[in-house]
Amino acid sequence: MIELKNLSKSYYTDVLETVALNDISLKIGKGEFVSIMGPSGCGKSTLLNMIGLLDSPTRGHVSIKGVNLENQKENDLAKFRNENLGFIFQSFHLISDLSVIDNVELPLLYRGESAKERKRLSEEALEKVGLLNRKNHYPNQLSGGQRQRVAIARAIVGKPAVVMADEPTGNLDSVLGNEVMQLLLDLNEQEKVTVVMVTHDESMARKTHRVIRLYDGSLVN
Amino acid sequence: MLKNYFKIAIKVLKRNKLYTFISLFGISFTLMVLMLASAVLENELGANPPLSKRDRILFLPSFTGQGFEREKISTYDTTEVNGVMKIDTTVTTKIIEGKVASNTVSSLSYKLYKDHLSRMKTPELISVFIDYAPLDVYPQGQKLTLNGNLTDAAYWKIFDFRFVEGGPFTREAVDNKANVIILRESTAEKYFGKQASYLGKELAWGIQGSFKVVGVVKDAHTSNRSVRADFFVPISWAGENELDYPQAYFGSCVVALLAKTPADMPKMEEELRNVENNLEKANNFDRYMIHEKNAADVYAWQFMGTQETRKGGEFLGIVLGVLAFFLVIPILNLVNLNVTRIFERSSEIGVRKAFGAKTGDLLLQFLFENLIITFLGGIIGVFLSLLVMNVLNRAEVFGVTKLTFNLSVLFISIFITFVFGILSGFLPAWRIAKTPVAGALKTGKL
């Protein structure tokens, strides 16, 4: 499903090169639930951004679903993300000016779905995360756990093949964190969605199929 | 999608009220000034009655006669007559072509019209009129100073006045020097008091006698002297000197030529040059020039240029330049405000891009948002314009010219607002649409 070959990412200033990722090669299979772990600043989120096509590597290749995504145009990458990837962020990143249902339908908006179809799919996704009754609320009227569930609904509304989750439980207490984790596990098990999750939480990581550990931008065996 | 953008736009406007106020104030004030300027220009230079055919009309308001310098050349010859030397002197006068010694500029004479201009072939219609005939009248014992136009019958075909009642006077009325008069609506009201109809009523004009009202026209909201008169009578009422002065081409008439099509205007000008060159030289004049002006030149003449020059294009260029400058400053200001405000939303941009928004989608979103605020500003601007127009009209700041907010001004206003919205929104929208996703997600707030 996902293949990284000799992936490196460096950030440059006038005098300094900072290596964020160093020669990463890995494969993630279809339907796999993988967690990425490592200390702060080791490059976990950078790696997730590379896999999620939110940032471009300095060297190396990324391919998803057999599509080599090297040298693709920005708009083509946007289309690919829209059709194949879903994102969950640590700080939810819901648009505060939009209602819950409007937030959830965001990926469908850029897919050119009709308003009726957007509503149907968004309600279906909200139903899955148990928040259909809050569809007309605004993000600031929800608890942290609820917001993250809305973010999950937004990530899955377009039925993506892969969901990227960047510390999805990082801002939640253990009870809410477990609820969110269960949703991701269900998503993976029932709908066979590939999930790549960055986490600091060893107990959450243990629930996934595989743990990839990073240290100073390199994979640790 | 636009519904989604609209919701966001309204929320964003509500979120930062101070910013919204500053933006709306700047936009509406700027647009108000531009709308007022366009209203003035539209009133003066738009194709409105009685100057709807302005793109086919050439005014001939003045005429120049020039005398060149003359050089006297004396030739001396000596001959011997009966053994005595005698000097024989011959004096010849040489005209120094192009070196102007005298220059006389005036309106045209009726003779010039009758003998030459009225015979022109290219115009569809030719009219002669006198646009300055001051008259003091005393309705209800109050002094009322009016200015009249003495016109021929063709005048009413070239200038499409809107008749409230009655109609123009005929060629027979002109030929027979009939005591008929056409009044401007506001003049009729001032002279007779407000009445249902003024037709058949009589206006006393000193020793000329009483004139019967045969028509009432809507006020012309323009400063063009050719059409802004308070009353109109047949040109045959002009003094004998004005009509029958035998020699000179100088007088007090204006001639208006109506071309068959706008494309015929150059041909008409060419024919005018022929008329000019074929005029019989007299009274030490070596060159004659008929000065033609279109409606824009006539308007510009109030501010720049002379009787001999045509400055309509230059004047419009300067006005548009000033307006563009006036538009650029608030646009830059709004761009600056927009950039600051949009970067506060970089996180939202990051999310939208992550979920598939293309550069074009984001450009559209932010331009749409900016157009909403500029259109809100435009609506306030329209109301402010109407208010200020009313004040200016009441105070008669533009004299007889009354500003009106007609359909053309409305369309111009919408266009200006649209341009303003696009220009002030494009740069911030472009910059934000190009922000890398990962970077955008790290910063800003939602």
Side-chain angles (χ1 to χ4, degrees), chain A residues 81-82 97 102 109-110, chain B residues 1 7 15 352-353 355:
Chain A
R81 280 196 301 268
N82 180 262
D97 292 320
D102 286 339
L109 210 60
Y110 299 118
Chain B
M1 189 176 275
K7 278 183 194 172
R15 194 163 56 194
R352 287 183 181 272
K353 289 187 99 170
F355 282 102

Side-chain angles (χ1 to χ4, degrees), chain B residues 328-342:
Chain B
V328 162
I329 302 292
I331 282 179
L332 289 179
N333 208 15
L334 195 61
V335 165
N336 197 27
L337 269 172
N338 277 343
V339 168
T340 314
R341 187 182 58 111
I342 286 180

Side-chain angles (χ1 to χ4, degrees), chain B residues 229-423:
Chain B
D230 299 307
F231 68 89
F232 305 84
V233 294
I235 193 168
S236 38
W237 284 99
E240 277 183 18
N241 277 349
E242 286 175 299
L243 297 182
D244 292 330
Y245 193 63
Q247 273 295 324
Y249 296 130
F250 301 104
S252 49
C253 296
V254 177
V255 170
L257 310 175
L258 179 75
K260 293 181 184 87
T261 65
D264 274 355
M265 295 284 268
K267 282 188 211 159
M268 221 156 63
E269 287 173 31
E270 206 174 303
E271 194 182 357
L272 263 180
R273 299 288 83 81
N274 285 335
V275 171
E276 213 171 65
N277 293 333
N278 292 329
L279 291 176
E280 185 190 334
K281 310 286 188 299
N283 301 331
N284 283 338
F285 286 118
D286 301 301
R287 180 159 71 191
Y288 291 125
M289 288 180 281
I290 300 168
H291 304 296
E292 71 277 16
K293 291 179 191 287
N294 62 25
D297 299 325
V298 171
Y299 183 63
W301 186 9
Q302 300 174 66
F303 309 101
M304 59 196 289
T306 62
Q307 294 179 94
E308 294 105 321
T309 56
R310 297 186 68 173
K311 295 282 186 182
E314 195 180 325
F315 174 76
L316 271 180
I318 291 170
V319 170
L320 292 178
V322 169
L323 288 181
F325 183 73
F326 198 82
L327 194 61
V328 162
I329 302 292
I331 282 179
L332 289 179
N333 208 15
L334 195 61
V335 165
N336 197 27
L337 269 172
N338 277 343
V339 168
T340 314
R341 187 182 58 111
I342 286 180
F343 273 93
E344 280 180 5
R345 294 169 64 191
S346 57
S347 191
E348 176 192 332
I349 314 301
V351 172
R352 287 183 181 272
K353 289 187 99 170
F355 282 102
K358 298 187 181 84
T359 304
D361 295 322
L362 293 168
L363 263 181
L364 178 69
Q365 178 186 345
F366 285 101
L367 277 180
F368 184 76
E369 283 185 23
N370 206 52
L371 280 176
I372 286 177
I373 192 168
T374 40
F375 269 94
L376 279 177
I379 291 167
I380 298 170
V382 166
F383 282 109
L384 281 176
S385 306
L386 288 171
L387 192 77
V388 173
M389 246 178 227
N390 197 286
V391 172
L392 293 176
N393 284 344
R394 278 168 187 268
E396 297 194 339
V397 173
F398 297 100
V400 293
T401 306
K402 294 275 184 277
L403 300 182
T404 51
F405 200 90
N406 56 25
L407 214 56
S408 305
V409 176
L410 182 68
F411 283 127
I412 293 169
S413 303
I414 291 172
F415 177 73
I416 291 173
T417 307
F418 186 74
V419 169
F420 193 93
I422 295 283
L423 290 181

